[in-house]
Amino acid sequence: MPFTHPMLEEINLLLKFPLDSLRQGLKIHHDADPAIVDAAKRLFEKGIIDQVDGGYLTDLGHDLHEHAQILASALSASSTKE
């Protein structure tokens, strides 16, 4: 199954969350790009973040963030080998 544009927006937003500390999150402001606001809403509805406007990653969110980082890193590394 290919990634859809909304999925990519969610992944990109997910990758913006800091993993240095469980006490750090993100705040999506009301005047942010509507695509980001919508992506945050979808992540919240899926139980990946704990607030509709960002907040903190849930346990599921932390797992998905780790996988997204691995995927992004692997794709970046393979493009530099060409």
Side-chain angles (χ1 to χ4, degrees):
M1 172 174 86
F3 287 111
T4 64
H5 189 68
M7 288 173 160
L8 291 173
E9 291 170 341
E10 292 170 19
I11 292 168
N12 285 331
L13 179 57
L14 186 61
L15 287 170
K16 292 182 181 188
F17 278 81
L19 280 186
D20 302 352
S21 169
L22 295 177
R23 296 181 183 161
Q24 291 182 323
L26 278 183
K27 170 71 174 163
I28 310 299
H29 294 275
H30 70 279
D31 59 349
D33 182 328
I36 293 173
V37 172
D38 291 342
K41 182 179 179 190
R42 292 190 303 272
L43 290 176
F44 172 73
E45 290 170 350
K46 294 173 184 176
I48 297 170
I49 58 177
D50 71 349
Q51 299 290 319
V52 73
D53 63 348
Y56 299 94
L57 293 171
T58 62
D59 290 341
L60 174 60
H62 282 283
D63 291 342
L64 294 175
H65 188 288
E66 183 178 327
H67 290 292
Q69 282 187 318
I70 291 168
L71 180 60
S73 176
L75 294 175
S76 294
S78 66
S79 67
T80 59
K81 292 180 181 180
E82 293 181 18

